[in-house]
Amino acid sequence: MRGASQAKWAVAAIAVALAATACGGGTKASGSGAVDPAGVFSYQSGEPQNPLQPANANEVLGGRVIKNLFRGLVSIDPGTNKPVMQVADSIESSDAKHFAVTLKSGWTFHDGTPVTAASFVDAWNWAADTRNNQINSNWFSDIAGYTDVHPVKGDPTAQTMSGLKVVDDTHFTIDLVHPVSYFQYKLAYTAFSPLPKSFYADPAKAGENPIGNGPYKFVSWEHNKAITLAAYDKYAGGDKPKNGGIVFKNYSSAEAAYKDLTSDNLDVLDQVDPTDLPSYKSDLGDRAVDQPQGGITSIAFAMYQPDWQGVDKAKVRQGLSMAIDRDTITKTVLNGSRLPADSFVAPGTVGYKAGICGEVCTFDPAKAKALIAEGGGVPNNKITILYNADGGHKEWVDAVCNSIRQSTGVECLGDPKPDFKTARKQVTAHQVPSMTRTAWSQDYPLNVSFLRDLYETGADSNDSLYSSPEFDKLATAADQATSVDQTAELYQQAEAQLVKDMPAIPLWFYKTNAGWSNNVTDVKYDTFGDPVFTQVEVKQK
């Protein structure tokens, strides 16, 4: 999922209203003193790119909200990194191609209506239909009949996928085009969430006022200010909220968010900005977080631009990668908060292969200059890197550009956009003139999430429009392997093709450098870089 590291405003009125709708009451003791189960906490965020529809968010600002509003068949356990049942009671298959799903009883949407087999099947069919313009529609491409509702060209020839069949209220079947060993991992993604019947009457309205089945229900969305959720007291999952709700609070700069955190005007931080990295551990003490995260920052080339097309341009892209001194930048500008990338896949992910990028991800100015010359040079001897200015990226973008300029003589400039939403609109409209900053956090802890989802031809998150028959062939073979481990191993061959083509430059792997205020306790972050929202406890005031 697309990552976005991120002005102060008053939340008192929202907090009061939220407390009235939150579940529970009274206080209880914790290891850090009395806590209020109805207490509301705030989290650093920004304006989502799209309406809050489960299949219409592939970036974190909308995705994090949707993950709390909805629950699908399974989720990824933050302790084991493996799928665990949520709404599903069981998902059975003997061949990884045909699946029989049994649902648990007792799950309801926030409007009180039951979650049934049709809630899933109808939602998936709607999301896959090309007429509904859902950004994550490609996630359903493994299901038989997908091309009938989402043809490459022309109008759909069907309204439903033939691979989905409702048996009764608690049973449905899924037939895939071919075996996918890791399909249960994919089912944890929010695009596979169920939808209530009311959604289809006005999907646009539902995106502004979503009704889900997750641990939190929607309260309000003040655009460019905040999204507020309240704990859902009839939530049927095992991870019931220990708090009364969340305010996803917009910030125009990461520095402003950190300042609010240290003054207890913000409760939980997404990521510490580069300016405050040297001091945040001493500022926050035991409230500071420094742990690995399944994410990567890269610079993606606009492969749809003529400047980057042609076989020889791969050498130019490789040369630019070798012109970047990742080690120095991560140690100085980023204060040790990132790890230099040696792969397109983050460490700790099943299928990560250390050093697969080889010399192409190793700083070598002489080789960089030679490769760029062999590839015919950089057009006009100039590149730009598009980024969102509200995310604390200026310092490292400038450092990367300085490294490229000093190593090769190629002019490199940052191309800042005011906020994440503005930057993403230009990226998804395929209007990037040269290169763009990109960050990716795993949607499931398998190398497939970093490879197929970003680089397969036509993939929803393939913003650069990279297309390689060789990569696609290797990815398809890996998908049809009989086990998750074999799939991961075969995807390493597909990753090796990326090193040859270099559609993006892996820069560094994420670490979660964050923290929380004195107002909350029991804050833990998962390998996706998110706090475990339901476990946060708010201290009694």
Side-chain angles (χ1 to χ4, degrees):
M1 181 170 288
R2 293 286 170 202
S5 304
Q6 304 278 286
K8 184 176 178 183
W9 63 287
V11 296
I14 287 180
V16 170
L18 197 58
T21 63
C23 65
T27 62
K28 71 181 186 68
S30 76
S32 302
V35 296
D36 181 4
V40 177
F41 71 95
S42 56
Y43 176 72
Q44 175 194 1
S45 192
E47 185 72 1
Q49 181 185 7
N50 296 316
L52 297 175
Q53 301 161 324
N56 211 18
N58 67 352
E59 42 78 23
V60 295
L61 300 182
R64 282 175 176 149
V65 177
I66 290 170
K67 282 170 68 174
N68 284 287
L69 288 170
F70 291 87
R71 281 292 183 269
L73 297 175
V74 302
S75 64
I76 300 297
D77 183 272
T80 65
N81 268 346
K82 293 183 178 181
V84 293
M85 299 297 156
Q86 285 285 357
V87 183
D89 189 52
S90 66
I91 303 174
E92 298 178 351
S93 178
S94 60
D95 58 5
K97 183 178 180 181
H98 306 285
F99 296 82
V101 179
T102 301
L103 304 183
K104 295 172 183 172
S105 59
W107 280 77
T108 61
F109 289 105
H110 301 150
D111 61 1
T113 59
V115 177
T116 66
S119 305
F120 285 95
V121 171
D122 292 349
W124 299 0
N125 279 320
W126 186 88
D129 193 320
T130 189
R131 293 168 296 189
N132 296 321
N133 297 314
Q134 296 295 282
I135 200 167
N136 286 322
S137 58
N138 187 252
W139 277 79
F140 303 95
S141 61
D142 295 319
I143 299 174
Y146 172 78
T147 54
D148 296 329
V149 301
H150 200 113
V152 176
K153 294 181 179 179
D155 295 326
T157 58
Q159 293 185 334
T160 60
M161 291 180 281
S162 59
L164 297 177
K165 293 286 190 297
V166 174
V167 178
D168 56 37
D169 280 352
T170 56
H171 296 85
F172 70 98
T173 59
I174 308 168
D175 294 333
L176 306 184
V177 177
H178 53 71
V180 178
S181 64
Y182 58 94
F183 190 65
Q184 285 200 37
Y185 280 85
K186 291 188 67 173
L187 289 174
Y189 190 50
T190 52
F192 291 95
S193 299
L195 291 170
K197 291 181 180 179
S198 61
F199 173 89
Y200 306 100
D202 192 341
K205 181 180 179 181
E208 293 290 320
N209 189 5
I211 296 172
N213 66 321
Y216 296 94
K217 60 184 179 181
F218 180 81
V219 175
S220 65
W221 184 356
E222 293 188 66
H223 285 282
N224 300 306
K225 288 187 176 181
I227 296 173
T228 305
L229 310 182
Y232 178 46
D233 58 356
K234 295 182 176 62
Y235 176 60
D239 53 336
K240 298 182 187 300
K242 294 182 178 179
N243 53 71
I246 313 165
V247 177
F248 290 86
K249 186 177 177 181
N250 285 27
Y251 282 90
S252 58
S253 74
E255 291 82 1
Y258 184 77
K259 183 177 180 180
D260 265 9
L261 185 82
T262 55
S263 59
D264 291 332
N265 290 314
L266 172 71
D267 294 321
V268 182
L269 195 70
D270 172 24
Q271 196 80 6
V272 177
D273 62 280
T275 302
D276 292 298
L277 279 170
S279 62
Y280 89 100
K281 290 182 181 178
S282 58
D283 290 345
L284 302 179
D286 60 6
R287 294 181 286 114
V289 178
D290 182 356
Q291 68 183 46
Q293 181 190 137
I296 187 172
T297 295
S298 304
I299 305 172
F301 294 89
M303 298 294 285
Y304 45 84
Q305 298 289 6
D307 288 350
W308 298 120
Q309 294 173 3
V311 176
D312 289 341
K313 291 304 177 185
K315 290 183 179 179
V316 176
R317 295 190 294 271
Q318 289 175 333
L320 290 171
S321 175
M322 297 179 73
I324 300 170
D325 189 353
R326 296 166 177 79
D327 190 58
T328 297
I329 295 172
T330 54
K331 286 179 179 176
T332 57
V333 177
L334 296 171
N335 205 54
S337 66
R338 303 288 187 270
L339 300 172
D342 59 358
S343 165
F344 286 81
V345 176
T349 305
V350 177
Y352 163 71
K353 186 175 182 180
I356 193 171
C357 194
E359 68 171 3
V360 180
C361 287
T362 303
F363 183 51
D364 188 334
K367 187 71 177 290
K369 206 167 184 177
L371 279 170
I372 291 172
E374 287 176 30
V378 172
N380 301 314
N381 203 44
K382 180 180 178 179
I383 56 175
T384 58
I385 302 174
L386 185 149
Y387 68 94
N388 55 302
D390 62 345
H393 305 302
K394 182 182 187 302
E395 293 86 351
W396 70 257
V397 170
D398 288 348
V400 165
C401 276
N402 288 336
S403 186
I404 291 173
R405 189 182 305 112
Q406 293 169 11
S407 298
T408 67
V410 173
E411 180 60 28
C412 178
L413 297 172
D415 181 15
K417 304 304 171 186
D419 53 42
F420 181 71
K421 184 176 182 178
T422 303
R424 285 297 299 159
K425 279 189 174 181
Q426 188 167 338
V427 170
T428 54
H430 305 125
Q431 295 174 349
V432 174
S434 181
M435 306 166 70
T436 182
R437 165 260 174 194
T438 182
W440 189 258
S441 180
Q442 62 188 10
D443 292 311
Y444 45 94
L446 193 62
N447 61 353
V448 184
S449 181
F450 290 92
L451 301 174
R452 175 183 174 180
D453 299 348
L454 287 174
Y455 300 107
E456 184 180 55
T457 300
D460 292 327
S461 297
N462 185 353
D463 294 327
S464 68
L465 300 187
Y466 166 70
S467 180
S468 164
E470 293 81 7
F471 178 89
D472 292 345
K473 180 180 178 180
L474 291 165
T476 298
D479 282 344
Q480 298 181 27
T482 57
S483 70
V484 171
D485 288 340
Q486 187 180 11
T487 290
E489 184 176 344
L490 290 172
Y491 257 102
Q492 292 171 353
Q493 297 178 22
E495 185 179 6
Q497 184 64 42
L498 295 181
V499 179
K500 295 178 183 178
D501 295 342
M502 220 60 188
I505 297 175
L507 291 179
W508 36 76
F509 300 126
Y510 269 111
K511 293 170 69 179
T512 298
N513 300 102
W516 62 90
S517 75
N518 289 298
N519 301 324
V520 293
T521 185
D522 201 25
V523 182
K524 296 180 176 63
Y525 288 76
D526 58 26
T527 59
F528 299 89
D530 296 334
V532 184
F533 290 96
T534 57
Q535 300 304 299
V536 176
E537 295 185 306
V538 180
K539 294 181 181 178
Q540 182 183 7
K541 295 180 180 179

